[in-house]
mmCIF file of all heavy atoms in Angstrom:
data_model
loop_
_atom_site.group_PDB
_atom_site.id
_atom_site.type_symbol
_atom_site.label_atom_id
_atom_site.label_comp_id
_atom_site.label_asym_id
_atom_site.label_seq_id
_atom_site.Cartn_x
_atom_site.Cartn_y
_atom_site.Cartn_z
ATOM 1 N N ILE A 26 -18.176 -7.285 22.160
ATOM 2 C CA ILE A 26 -17.537 -8.530 21.718
ATOM 3 C C ILE A 26 -16.249 -8.756 22.502
ATOM 4 O O ILE A 26 -15.739 -7.835 23.153
ATOM 5 C CB ILE A 26 -17.236 -8.517 20.190
ATOM 6 C CG1 ILE A 26 -16.317 -7.349 19.836
ATOM 7 C CG2 ILE A 26 -18.508 -8.466 19.372
ATOM 8 C CD1 ILE A 26 -15.808 -7.418 18.429
ATOM 9 N N ASP A 27 -15.719 -9.969 22.393
ATOM 10 C CA ASP A 27 -14.553 -10.361 23.181
ATOM 11 C C ASP A 27 -13.273 -9.791 22.542
ATOM 12 O O ASP A 27 -12.583 -10.474 21.782
ATOM 13 C CB ASP A 27 -14.510 -11.892 23.242
ATOM 14 C CG ASP A 27 -13.336 -12.381 24.089
ATOM 15 O OD1 ASP A 27 -12.768 -11.555 24.834
ATOM 16 O OD2 ASP A 27 -13.008 -13.568 23.985
ATOM 17 N N THR A 28 -12.991 -8.523 22.823
ATOM 18 C CA THR A 28 -11.783 -7.881 22.299
ATOM 19 C C THR A 28 -11.362 -6.782 23.281
ATOM 20 O O THR A 28 -11.973 -6.611 24.327
ATOM 21 C CB THR A 28 -12.024 -7.312 20.881
ATOM 22 O OG1 THR A 28 -10.781 -6.900 20.328
ATOM 23 C CG2 THR A 28 -12.998 -6.132 20.877
ATOM 24 N N SER A 29 -10.312 -6.054 22.932
ATOM 25 C CA SER A 29 -9.863 -4.968 23.816
ATOM 26 C C SER A 29 -9.227 -3.864 22.985
ATOM 27 O O SER A 29 -8.733 -4.113 21.875
ATOM 28 C CB SER A 29 -8.827 -5.494 24.814
ATOM 29 O OG SER A 29 -7.670 -5.896 24.109
ATOM 30 N N TRP A 32 -5.589 -4.805 22.222
ATOM 31 C CA TRP A 32 -5.353 -5.769 21.132
ATOM 32 C C TRP A 32 -5.518 -5.070 19.777
ATOM 33 O O TRP A 32 -4.671 -5.190 18.892
ATOM 34 C CB TRP A 32 -6.312 -6.966 21.220
ATOM 35 C CG TRP A 32 -5.901 -8.082 20.277
ATOM 36 C CD1 TRP A 32 -5.128 -9.160 20.580
ATOM 37 C CD2 TRP A 32 -6.204 -8.187 18.873
ATOM 38 N NE1 TRP A 32 -4.930 -9.941 19.455
ATOM 39 C CE2 TRP A 32 -5.581 -9.363 18.396
ATOM 40 C CE3 TRP A 32 -6.923 -7.412 17.969
ATOM 41 C CZ2 TRP A 32 -5.663 -9.784 17.067
ATOM 42 C CZ3 TRP A 32 -6.995 -7.832 16.637
ATOM 43 C CH2 TRP A 32 -6.383 -8.999 16.198
ATOM 44 N N ILE A 33 -6.622 -4.341 19.635
ATOM 45 C CA ILE A 33 -6.902 -3.742 18.315
ATOM 46 C C ILE A 33 -5.804 -2.725 17.955
ATOM 47 O O ILE A 33 -5.262 -2.738 16.842
ATOM 48 C CB ILE A 33 -8.295 -3.077 18.284
ATOM 49 C CG1 ILE A 33 -9.380 -4.111 18.597
ATOM 50 C CG2 ILE A 33 -8.564 -2.466 16.915
ATOM 51 C CD1 ILE A 33 -10.778 -3.523 18.796
ATOM 52 N N HIS A 36 -2.376 -4.492 17.224
ATOM 53 C CA HIS A 36 -2.324 -5.337 16.024
ATOM 54 C C HIS A 36 -2.626 -4.584 14.745
ATOM 55 O O HIS A 36 -2.320 -5.077 13.655
ATOM 56 C CB HIS A 36 -3.304 -6.511 16.156
ATOM 57 C CG HIS A 36 -2.813 -7.603 17.052
ATOM 58 N ND1 HIS A 36 -2.764 -7.475 18.417
ATOM 59 C CD2 HIS A 36 -2.312 -8.839 16.774
ATOM 60 C CE1 HIS A 36 -2.277 -8.591 18.937
ATOM 61 N NE2 HIS A 36 -1.988 -9.425 17.971
ATOM 62 N N THR A 37 -3.274 -3.394 14.849
ATOM 63 C CA THR A 37 -3.726 -2.724 13.612
ATOM 64 C C THR A 37 -3.492 -1.211 13.569
ATOM 65 O O THR A 37 -3.510 -0.625 12.482
ATOM 66 C CB THR A 37 -5.257 -2.916 13.422
ATOM 67 O OG1 THR A 37 -5.933 -2.192 14.469
ATOM 68 C CG2 THR A 37 -5.653 -4.375 13.482
ATOM 69 N N CYS A 128 -10.351 -3.303 -1.973
ATOM 70 C CA CYS A 128 -9.782 -2.076 -1.399
ATOM 71 C C CYS A 128 -8.897 -1.322 -2.392
ATOM 72 O O CYS A 128 -8.518 -0.185 -2.142
ATOM 73 C CB CYS A 128 -8.989 -2.402 -0.141
ATOM 74 S SG CYS A 128 -9.970 -3.264 1.088
ATOM 75 N N ARG A 168 -14.357 -12.052 15.563
ATOM 76 C CA ARG A 168 -13.629 -10.898 16.116
ATOM 77 C C ARG A 168 -12.343 -10.595 15.351
ATOM 78 O O ARG A 168 -11.785 -9.510 15.457
ATOM 79 C CB ARG A 168 -13.325 -11.124 17.595
ATOM 80 C CG ARG A 168 -12.330 -12.252 17.868
ATOM 81 C CD ARG A 168 -11.991 -12.334 19.325
ATOM 82 N NE ARG A 168 -11.013 -13.389 19.568
ATOM 83 C CZ ARG A 168 -10.383 -13.565 20.704
ATOM 84 N NH1 ARG A 168 -10.636 -12.773 21.721
ATOM 85 N NH2 ARG A 168 -9.511 -14.530 20.846
ATOM 86 N N GLY A 169 -11.869 -11.581 14.587
ATOM 87 C CA GLY A 169 -10.649 -11.362 13.796
ATOM 88 C C GLY A 169 -10.862 -10.412 12.624
ATOM 89 O O GLY A 169 -9.902 -9.846 12.091
ATOM 90 N N VAL A 172 -13.461 -6.094 13.870
ATOM 91 C CA VAL A 172 -12.869 -4.895 14.491
ATOM 92 C C VAL A 172 -12.115 -4.036 13.460
ATOM 93 O O VAL A 172 -11.690 -2.923 13.773
ATOM 94 C CB VAL A 172 -11.896 -5.280 15.637
ATOM 95 C CG1 VAL A 172 -12.631 -6.065 16.711
ATOM 96 C CG2 VAL A 172 -10.693 -6.068 15.122
ATOM 97 N N LEU A 173 -11.936 -4.589 12.246
ATOM 98 C CA LEU A 173 -11.033 -3.930 11.285
ATOM 99 C C LEU A 173 -11.700 -2.852 10.434
ATOM 100 O O LEU A 173 -11.013 -1.986 9.895
ATOM 101 C CB LEU A 173 -10.433 -4.970 10.325
ATOM 102 C CG LEU A 173 -9.670 -6.147 10.940
ATOM 103 C CD1 LEU A 173 -9.217 -7.095 9.837
ATOM 104 C CD2 LEU A 173 -8.464 -5.640 11.734
ATOM 105 N N PHE A 174 -13.037 -2.945 10.260
ATOM 106 C CA PHE A 174 -13.666 -2.173 9.190
ATOM 107 C C PHE A 174 -14.515 -0.992 9.659
ATOM 108 O O PHE A 174 -15.015 -0.981 10.777
ATOM 109 C CB PHE A 174 -14.529 -3.104 8.330
ATOM 110 C CG PHE A 174 -13.737 -4.231 7.713
ATOM 111 C CD1 PHE A 174 -14.001 -5.545 8.044
ATOM 112 C CD2 PHE A 174 -12.705 -3.964 6.832
ATOM 113 C CE1 PHE A 174 -13.262 -6.584 7.489
ATOM 114 C CE2 PHE A 174 -11.955 -4.994 6.272
ATOM 115 C CZ PHE A 174 -12.233 -6.309 6.605
ATOM 116 N N LEU A 213 -9.796 -13.604 0.853
ATOM 117 C CA LEU A 213 -10.622 -12.430 1.218
ATOM 118 C C LEU A 213 -11.849 -12.455 0.325
ATOM 119 O O LEU A 213 -11.768 -12.107 -0.852
ATOM 120 C CB LEU A 213 -9.798 -11.152 1.013
ATOM 121 C CG LEU A 213 -10.378 -9.829 1.476
ATOM 122 C CD1 LEU A 213 -10.924 -9.893 2.883
ATOM 123 C CD2 LEU A 213 -9.332 -8.738 1.380
ATOM 124 N N MET A 238 -12.044 -13.877 5.872
ATOM 125 C CA MET A 238 -10.653 -13.470 5.607
ATOM 126 C C MET A 238 -9.647 -14.379 6.301
ATOM 127 O O MET A 238 -9.833 -14.745 7.460
ATOM 128 C CB MET A 238 -10.469 -12.027 6.093
ATOM 129 C CG MET A 238 -9.124 -11.432 5.737
ATOM 130 S SD MET A 238 -9.000 -9.756 6.367
ATOM 131 C CE MET A 238 -8.690 -10.077 8.087
ATOM 132 N N GLY A 240 -6.454 -13.720 7.665
ATOM 133 C CA GLY A 240 -5.696 -12.511 7.999
ATOM 134 C C GLY A 240 -4.209 -12.628 7.711
ATOM 135 O O GLY A 240 -3.600 -11.708 7.140
ATOM 136 N N GLN A 241 -3.630 -13.759 8.068
ATOM 137 C CA GLN A 241 -2.180 -13.919 7.890
ATOM 138 C C GLN A 241 -1.803 -13.925 6.400
ATOM 139 O O GLN A 241 -0.837 -13.279 5.983
ATOM 140 C CB GLN A 241 -1.735 -15.223 8.560
ATOM 141 C CG GLN A 241 -0.246 -15.285 8.857
ATOM 142 C CD GLN A 241 0.205 -14.155 9.789
ATOM 143 O OE1 GLN A 241 -0.311 -14.014 10.878
ATOM 144 N NE2 GLN A 241 1.142 -13.346 9.334
ATOM 145 N N VAL A 243 -3.509 -12.610 3.908
ATOM 146 C CA VAL A 243 -3.704 -11.269 3.335
ATOM 147 C C VAL A 243 -2.569 -10.346 3.777
ATOM 148 O O VAL A 243 -2.055 -9.550 2.982
ATOM 149 C CB VAL A 243 -5.080 -10.683 3.754
ATOM 150 C CG1 VAL A 243 -5.206 -9.239 3.286
ATOM 151 C CG2 VAL A 243 -6.211 -11.519 3.180
ATOM 152 N N TYR A 244 -2.160 -10.491 5.013
ATOM 153 C CA TYR A 244 -1.064 -9.660 5.533
ATOM 154 C C TYR A 244 0.213 -9.865 4.699
ATOM 155 O O TYR A 244 0.854 -8.905 4.249
ATOM 156 C CB TYR A 244 -0.805 -10.027 7.002
ATOM 157 C CG TYR A 244 0.213 -9.147 7.686
ATOM 158 C CD1 TYR A 244 -0.191 -8.056 8.453
ATOM 159 C CD2 TYR A 244 1.581 -9.399 7.570
ATOM 160 C CE1 TYR A 244 0.735 -7.241 9.078
ATOM 161 C CE2 TYR A 244 2.512 -8.592 8.182
ATOM 162 C CZ TYR A 244 2.083 -7.514 8.943
ATOM 163 O OH TYR A 244 3.004 -6.704 9.555
ATOM 164 N N ALA A 247 -0.182 -8.467 1.265
ATOM 165 C CA ALA A 247 -0.247 -7.001 1.297
ATOM 166 C C ALA A 247 1.146 -6.383 1.403
ATOM 167 O O ALA A 247 1.469 -5.433 0.668
ATOM 168 C CB ALA A 247 -1.119 -6.546 2.465
ATOM 169 N N HIS A 275 -3.501 2.723 1.232
ATOM 170 C CA HIS A 275 -4.771 2.164 1.709
ATOM 171 C C HIS A 275 -4.623 1.895 3.206
ATOM 172 O O HIS A 275 -3.627 1.338 3.657
ATOM 173 C CB HIS A 275 -5.089 0.876 0.953
ATOM 174 C CG HIS A 275 -6.183 0.091 1.583
ATOM 175 N ND1 HIS A 275 -7.360 0.684 1.998
ATOM 176 C CD2 HIS A 275 -6.286 -1.224 1.907
ATOM 177 C CE1 HIS A 275 -8.138 -0.238 2.532
ATOM 178 N NE2 HIS A 275 -7.513 -1.408 2.497
ATOM 179 N N ALA A 277 -5.365 -0.143 5.836
ATOM 180 C CA ALA A 277 -5.873 -1.451 6.280
ATOM 181 C C ALA A 277 -5.311 -1.820 7.640
ATOM 182 O O ALA A 277 -6.004 -2.361 8.488
ATOM 183 C CB ALA A 277 -5.521 -2.529 5.269
ATOM 184 N N ASN A 278 -4.013 -1.545 7.802
ATOM 185 C CA ASN A 278 -3.351 -1.927 9.048
ATOM 186 C C ASN A 278 -2.033 -1.149 9.114
ATOM 187 O O ASN A 278 -1.214 -1.244 8.199
ATOM 188 C CB ASN A 278 -3.086 -3.446 9.024
ATOM 189 C CG ASN A 278 -2.518 -3.934 10.344
ATOM 190 O OD1 ASN A 278 -1.825 -3.195 11.056
ATOM 191 N ND2 ASN A 278 -2.798 -5.184 10.673
ATOM 192 N N ARG A 280 0.474 -1.719 10.748
ATOM 193 C CA ARG A 280 1.641 -2.622 10.756
ATOM 194 C C ARG A 280 2.075 -3.005 9.343
ATOM 195 O O ARG A 280 3.256 -3.211 9.082
ATOM 196 C CB ARG A 280 1.314 -3.887 11.557
ATOM 197 C CG ARG A 280 1.468 -3.684 13.068
ATOM 198 C CD ARG A 280 0.845 -4.843 13.821
ATOM 199 N NE ARG A 280 1.397 -6.136 13.411
ATOM 200 C CZ ARG A 280 0.710 -7.287 13.445
ATOM 201 N NH1 ARG A 280 -0.542 -7.312 13.831
ATOM 202 N NH2 ARG A 280 1.280 -8.413 13.091
ATOM 203 N N ILE A 281 1.106 -3.107 8.424
ATOM 204 C CA ILE A 281 1.451 -3.412 7.024
ATOM 205 C C ILE A 281 2.265 -2.257 6.445
ATOM 206 O O ILE A 281 3.282 -2.453 5.781
ATOM 207 C CB ILE A 281 0.162 -3.651 6.188
ATOM 208 C CG1 ILE A 281 -0.510 -4.945 6.653
ATOM 209 C CG2 ILE A 281 0.476 -3.686 4.694
ATOM 210 C CD1 ILE A 281 -1.870 -5.226 6.001
ATOM 211 N N ASN A 305 -10.489 0.496 8.497
ATOM 212 C CA ASN A 305 -10.342 0.178 7.074
ATOM 213 C C ASN A 305 -11.669 0.445 6.357
ATOM 214 O O ASN A 305 -12.641 -0.275 6.561
ATOM 215 C CB ASN A 305 -9.934 -1.300 6.943
ATOM 216 C CG ASN A 305 -9.771 -1.738 5.494
ATOM 217 O OD1 ASN A 305 -10.150 -1.035 4.566
ATOM 218 N ND2 ASN A 305 -9.199 -2.920 5.301
ATOM 219 N N PHE A 335 -4.054 -2.495 -1.810
ATOM 220 C CA PHE A 335 -4.155 -3.951 -2.008
ATOM 221 C C PHE A 335 -5.501 -4.359 -1.441
ATOM 222 O O PHE A 335 -6.066 -3.657 -0.601
ATOM 223 C CB PHE A 335 -3.023 -4.651 -1.238
ATOM 224 C CG PHE A 335 -2.933 -4.155 0.175
ATOM 225 C CD1 PHE A 335 -3.753 -4.670 1.165
ATOM 226 C CD2 PHE A 335 -2.109 -3.080 0.501
ATOM 227 C CE1 PHE A 335 -3.726 -4.156 2.454
ATOM 228 C CE2 PHE A 335 -2.087 -2.554 1.790
ATOM 229 C CZ PHE A 335 -2.900 -3.100 2.769
ATOM 230 N N GLY A 336 -6.027 -5.478 -1.909
ATOM 231 C CA GLY A 336 -7.316 -5.864 -1.350
ATOM 232 C C GLY A 336 -7.907 -7.098 -1.990
ATOM 233 O O GLY A 336 -7.217 -7.849 -2.698
ATOM 234 N N GLY A 337 -9.198 -7.296 -1.775
ATOM 235 C CA GLY A 337 -9.901 -8.483 -2.242
ATOM 236 C C GLY A 337 -9.780 -8.639 -3.744
ATOM 237 O O GLY A 337 -9.761 -7.678 -4.497
HETATM 238 N N1 COA B 401 -9.412 -9.137 19.877
HETATM 239 C C1 COA B 401 -8.667 -9.900 20.662
HETATM 240 N N2 COA B 401 -8.013 -11.001 20.246
HETATM 241 C C2 COA B 401 -8.141 -11.305 18.927
HETATM 242 C C3 COA B 401 -8.923 -10.546 18.062
HETATM 243 C C4 COA B 401 -9.576 -9.419 18.578
HETATM 244 N N3 COA B 401 -10.346 -8.619 17.818
HETATM 245 N N4 COA B 401 -8.853 -11.097 16.829
HETATM 246 C C5 COA B 401 -8.050 -12.170 16.908
HETATM 247 N N5 COA B 401 -7.629 -12.309 18.196
HETATM 248 C C6 COA B 401 -6.743 -13.312 18.751
HETATM 249 C C7 COA B 401 -6.794 -14.619 17.977
HETATM 250 O O1 COA B 401 -7.873 -15.404 18.429
HETATM 251 C C8 COA B 401 -5.452 -15.235 18.317
HETATM 252 O O2 COA B 401 -5.531 -15.831 19.562
HETATM 253 P P1 COA B 401 -4.865 -17.259 19.858
HETATM 254 O O3 COA B 401 -3.383 -17.050 19.597
HETATM 255 O O4 COA B 401 -5.187 -17.516 21.290
HETATM 256 O O5 COA B 401 -5.501 -18.187 18.891
HETATM 257 C C9 COA B 401 -4.528 -14.009 18.464
HETATM 258 O O6 COA B 401 -5.394 -12.868 18.634
HETATM 259 C C10 COA B 401 -3.599 -13.791 17.304
HETATM 260 O O7 COA B 401 -4.332 -13.839 16.124
HETATM 261 P P2 COA B 401 -3.612 -13.693 14.741
HETATM 262 O O8 COA B 401 -4.656 -13.903 13.687
HETATM 263 O O9 COA B 401 -2.392 -14.542 14.709
HETATM 264 O O10 COA B 401 -3.174 -12.159 14.783
HETATM 265 P P3 COA B 401 -2.331 -11.377 13.726
HETATM 266 O O11 COA B 401 -1.128 -10.864 14.400
HETATM 267 O O12 COA B 401 -2.160 -12.106 12.445
HETATM 268 O O13 COA B 401 -3.284 -10.132 13.419
HETATM 269 C C11 COA B 401 -4.805 -9.316 11.774
HETATM 270 C C12 COA B 401 -4.546 -10.363 12.851
HETATM 271 C C13 COA B 401 -6.163 -9.587 11.161
HETATM 272 C C14 COA B 401 -4.819 -7.946 12.442
HETATM 273 C C15 COA B 401 -3.667 -9.381 10.708
HETATM 274 O O14 COA B 401 -3.515 -10.726 10.270
HETATM 275 C C16 COA B 401 -3.955 -8.510 9.529
HETATM 276 O O15 COA B 401 -3.995 -7.311 9.647
HETATM 277 N N6 COA B 401 -4.096 -9.088 8.327
HETATM 278 C C17 COA B 401 -4.404 -8.323 7.152
HETATM 279 C C18 COA B 401 -5.853 -7.969 7.173
HETATM 280 C C19 COA B 401 -6.224 -6.903 6.200
HETATM 281 O O16 COA B 401 -5.542 -5.936 6.056
HETATM 282 N N7 COA B 401 -7.364 -7.091 5.536
HETATM 283 C C20 COA B 401 -7.918 -6.169 4.638
HETATM 284 C C21 COA B 401 -7.146 -6.136 3.388
HETATM 285 S S1 COA B 401 -7.714 -4.873 2.348
#
Side-chain angles (χ1 to χ4, degrees):
I26 59 170
D27 182 15
T28 189
S29 65
W32 191 94
I33 301 171
H36 283 73
T37 67
C128 304
R168 67 175 182 169
V172 300
L173 304 177
F174 301 116
L213 187 48
M238 187 181 77
Q241 199 60 57
V243 174
Y244 186 96
H275 167 47
N278 185 330
R280 278 167 56 210
I281 292 174
N305 179 349
F335 49 83

